[in-house]
Amino acid sequence: MALTISPTVLLVSGAVVLYALYTRIALYLRRRAFKKQHGCQPSYYRYNKDPFLGWDVLQESITNAADHKLLAGMQARFLKLNTKTFHSRQVNVPLITTCEPENVKTVLSIKFKDYSLGNRKAAFSPLLGDGIFNSDGEKWSNSRHLLRPNFARDQVADLEAFERHFKLMIKHIPSDGTTFDLQQLFFRFTLDSATEFLFNHSTNSLRVLGDDSGSAEAAFAKAFSSSMDDILQHFRAGPLHFFRRGKKEGLEAVRVCHEYVERFVDEAIAWRRERDVGNVEEKEGDRYIFIRELVKQTTDRTALRNELINVLLAGRDTTASLLSNMFFEIATKSGIWERLKEEVKFLEGRPPSYEELRNMKYIKWCLNESLRLHPVVPGNTRLAIRDTVLPLGGGPDQKAPLFVPAGTTVGYSPYTMHRRTDLYGPDAHLFRPERWDTLRPSWEYLPFNGGPRICLGQQYALTEASFVTVRLAQMFDRLESRDTNGGVWVEGLGLTLCSGNGVLVGLVKGEKA
Ligand code: HEM
Ligand SMILES: *[C@@H]1O[C@H](CO)[C@@H](O)[C@H](O)[C@H]1NC(C)=O
Ligand SMILES: *[C@@H]1O[C@H](CO)[C@@H](O)[C@H](O)[C@H]1NC(C)=O
């Protein structure tokens, strides 16, 4: 029996095939012209041996994660290929990874509009909604306009509030040199001060010495950290995130966080109404409260809640991680604590002013050096939303521009960049604050990001971290590492980078231990 196909079907399928072919060829020609116009050359550096799904790289990453060596593993890829920019593939996503300052500057600044945040949005959105940290384009631009003025004032950080929380932190520190974990205290300290600054109500987790697991504050702190864990799981699982465990618990944690913050949003909206009818007055010298400034600009309940949670997420763990990494290094090196004590001597024990803090050179060196060696946001990605180009990475010597097709993820690694020996010298892997005496880096130093999305809280974070450092240096004569790994820092990589084994130290007051 003869198989008959109607001529119409034939004609239609023929047209479909032709059209597909036509668009393919048109894309090919367009890209060829684009590459030629920009002088692009092909890349000679590819990390995968398995070019289809990239299982080899995935497996290597799983091993590295288990060994707490994800970042060293990333650096090793660059070294192994002897390159600053290479291609790889993660399941279905083509990746270009770079540690070349000029390329990073191009992604974050010069060709900012060619990129979006890409796949990070899905993981973060249950908790963050479309707040500043998790949106692109016009949405992001609106958020940035809303929040930026609140950071513009030089002195957003409230030193009196830091001092109050610091006094509570001190109560947890044994003054006889008994070993304890500073990192845990730093995470509580930054939560308490950030929630006071942002919500007008502190979680006061340092106020309690025993068990307070029943309080709303403790429930929030726990839910906030579970939400972050779930985000991390979702993020790491990538396209396979549906199979991750604990999805339901993650959503429940998000609900608890939202509910907790909404109370303060409602209070602030009520405050604004009272103010509008003249029932409350603001005085010059009132302490600075983020939520109060925000509610003057909008009374959109969801927007307020989202932005507050976004800023808390951006600002809390980051600053605690900076303090932890820095104290880990200071405690294990001789001479640094003494030099810090020397620098704060002139205060004769009183808390520093904002101006005094800003003028402390050695503390700044230590902070800069810590953020160089252990950048708390050690890697990041952007997604190319149109065909674009990187200035370096093409050709055998990598000096030619490199074509980036739309849909490519571009990853950059401040961790690797900050440890490049050609940029920082042969001792780049060492913590040596003195190197900042002469260093004046540009895009090769990127702890706070750059371009239009540069960190809004940089000044706040540096003020907070220097304040805590000054106060501890004033109070304790000796800082001794009691690390269980011989003083070798271990990667603690969650959403931020802290010390994997905590910061076990002994602090000693007075001459006798
Ligand atoms: C040592 C402490 C900190 C470090 C290293 C740090 C680093 C960063 C980095 C790398 C980004 C860019 C993320 C990206 O675009 O993918 C960022 C963004 C941001 N940071 Fe920080 N941050 C710190 C502390 C803070 C603090 C204390 C606050 C607020 C009080 C804050 C508020 C923000 C905000 C709102 C953004 C989003 C900006 C935007 O997308 O337009 N950060 N930060
Ligand atoms: C801040 O908290 C105080 C109570 O501690 C309250 O009286 C005030 O209205 C709050 N302000 C805002 C803007 O929420
Ligand atoms: C710390 O690094 C920043 C960014 O490069 C730089 O502007 C600043 O001068 C450095 N601070 C010190 C004290 O070296």
Side-chain angles (χ1 to χ4, degrees):
M1 207 173 70
L3 193 69
T4 53
I5 301 174
S6 100
T8 326
V9 170
L10 252 182
L11 210 67
V12 170
S13 9
V16 167
V17 169
L18 270 181
Y19 182 73
L21 208 63
Y22 164 77
T23 52
R24 276 300 179 100
I25 293 172
L27 179 67
Y28 172 79
L29 291 176
R30 206 165 55 237
R31 284 187 167 165
R32 199 174 69 167
F34 183 92
K35 287 186 218 172
K36 196 162 166 219
Q37 185 200 339
H38 291 93
C40 296
Q41 288 191 27
S43 168
Y44 290 77
Y45 301 87
R46 169 168 291 280
Y47 195 72
N48 301 90
K49 287 192 193 69
D50 162 17
F52 298 107
L53 293 172
W55 286 124
D56 50 349
V57 175
L58 194 64
Q59 279 199 318
E60 189 186 275
S61 297
I62 290 169
T63 311
N64 287 345
D67 296 344
H68 304 283
K69 286 189 172 148
L70 270 174
L71 296 167
M74 172 59 76
Q75 184 187 26
R77 287 175 193 167
F78 285 101
L79 294 175
K80 192 167 152 195
L81 294 177
N82 189 21
T83 185
K84 308 288 181 272
T85 304
F86 64 85
H87 284 69
S88 61
R89 176 169 276 281
Q90 193 183 31
V91 193
N92 58 339
V93 186
L95 278 169
I96 295 177
T97 311
T98 191
C99 65
E100 187 64 82
E102 280 304 310
N103 282 347
V104 179
K105 176 168 132 190
T106 302
V107 173
L108 295 179
S109 180
I110 298 171
K111 294 192 185 285
F112 178 72
K113 293 214 160 113
D114 290 352
Y115 295 90
S116 78
L117 296 180
N119 68 353
R120 111 166 167 213
K121 270 193 277 192
F124 282 87
S125 70
L127 181 66
L128 297 186
D130 50 18
I132 186 165
F133 195 77
N134 207 39
S135 56
D136 280 312
E138 207 172 325
K139 268 250 160 3
W140 164 76
S141 182
N142 292 340
S143 289
R144 184 105 185 167
H145 275 112
L146 178 71
L147 298 186
R148 212 181 121 92
N150 305 305
F151 288 99
R153 227 169 68 172
D154 217 19
Q155 212 167 328
V156 281
D158 177 354
L159 299 191
E160 276 170 35
F162 289 156
E163 175 68 9
R164 238 179 310 111
H165 297 294
F166 180 80
K167 284 204 171 109
L168 295 173
M169 184 169 90
I170 282 296
K171 294 198 174 145
H172 297 263
I173 298 182
S175 60
D176 60 353
T178 308
T179 302
F180 72 103
D181 185 4
L182 250 182
Q183 183 161 271
Q184 281 188 15
L185 293 186
F186 287 151
F187 273 78
R188 290 214 216 170
F189 179 88
T190 56
L191 181 68
D192 288 355
S193 35
T195 47
E196 173 164 349
F197 168 64
L198 294 171
F199 307 161
N200 182 33
H201 292 277
S202 175
T203 41
N204 278 325
S205 66
L206 287 166
R207 186 169 287 168
V208 284
L209 289 157
D211 176 44
D212 74 328
S213 45
S215 74
E217 286 71 28
F220 169 70
K222 186 155 168 271
F224 190 66
S225 102
S226 318
S227 314
M228 306 256 287
D229 289 344
D230 188 56
I231 289 172
L232 188 67
Q233 296 310 326
H234 184 152
F235 192 62
R236 288 202 173 150
L240 307 173
H241 72 87
F242 277 110
F243 303 109
R244 77 186 189 281
R245 265 179 290 169
K247 261 190 329 202
K248 242 179 74 191
E249 293 80 350
L251 286 175
E252 172 58 16
V254 165
R255 193 192 59 76
V256 173
C257 293
H258 285 182
E259 216 175 84
Y260 181 77
V261 179
E262 277 159 9
R263 276 172 39 204
F264 306 130
V265 167
D266 290 339
E267 183 192 55
I269 292 174
W271 176 87
R272 151 94 190 251
R273 299 231 161 89
E274 291 291 296
R275 173 180 171 267
D276 285 352
V277 296
N279 283 349
V280 287
E281 253 180 82
E282 282 178 278
K283 292 181 292 294
E284 193 66 24
D286 270 359
R287 72 193 170 82
Y288 191 82
I289 302 163
F290 200 85
I291 196 172
R292 190 174 62 202
E293 302 309 310
L294 271 194
V295 82
K296 289 179 193 166
Q297 301 171 70
T298 177
T299 50
D300 178 335
R301 192 168 182 252
T302 311
L304 285 165
R305 182 198 74 199
N306 286 348
E307 299 301 358
L308 289 166
I309 296 184
N310 275 252
V311 180
L312 180 65
L313 179 127
R316 185 268 176 126
D317 286 19
T318 43
T319 313
S321 299
L322 161 59
L323 275 165
S324 302
N325 293 327
M326 184 174 77
F327 269 83
F328 185 97
E329 293 295 341
I330 294 175
T332 51
K333 313 275 170 309
S334 63
I336 300 184
W337 191 246
E338 290 69 24
R339 207 167 157 184
L340 284 172
K341 287 192 66 68
E342 206 39 55
E343 187 169 65
V344 303
K345 215 173 185 171
F346 80 98
L347 291 167
E348 296 174 333
R350 70 173 163 80
S353 71
Y354 184 73
E355 268 315 302
E356 285 164 340
L357 270 185
R358 282 185 68 99
N359 290 328
M360 291 184 181
K361 194 177 72 175
Y362 194 66
I363 287 183
K364 275 199 207 153
W365 286 2
C366 291
L367 291 166
N368 272 13
E369 182 66 348
S370 180
L371 288 168
R372 182 191 67 81
L373 194 65
H374 308 297
V376 304
V377 184
N380 210 332
T381 61
R382 294 293 194 254
L383 175 73
I385 52 175
R386 56 179 68 95
D387 288 354
T388 183
V389 65
L390 291 172
L392 294 169
D397 62 0
Q398 304 218 301
K399 298 249 162 66
L402 185 66
F403 177 61
V404 182
T408 307
T409 295
V410 179
Y412 56 97
S413 173
Y415 177 91
T416 307
M417 199 162 73
H418 290 178
R419 287 169 181 241
R420 273 178 57 173
T421 49
D422 58 333
L423 300 174
Y424 290 96
D427 68 351
H429 61 292
L430 297 180
F431 185 87
R432 192 169 62 80
E434 284 71 19
R435 75 173 81 240
W436 287 90
D437 194 11
T438 50
L439 273 183
R440 287 296 167 265
S442 158
W443 283 85
E444 62 268 36
Y445 181 64
L446 211 62
F448 293 101
N449 224 9
R453 287 196 94 130
I454 193 169
C455 174
L456 277 175
Q458 175 169 349
Q459 219 42 59
Y460 182 96
L462 294 176
T463 307
E464 178 170 19
S466 5
F467 186 88
V468 173
T469 308
V470 169
R471 297 302 277 147
L472 284 172
Q474 286 175 313
M475 225 154 268
F476 296 98
D477 286 330
R478 289 211 311 276
L479 166 66
E480 290 169 6
S481 174
R482 305 281 166 74
D483 186 46
T484 50
N485 189 42
V488 179
W489 183 88
V490 171
E491 167 187 300
L493 185 60
L495 288 179
T496 62
L497 174 64
C498 64
S499 164
N501 286 333
V503 182
L504 295 175
V505 297
L507 278 164
V508 185
K509 245 182 207 170
E511 271 320 295
K512 43 197 186 322

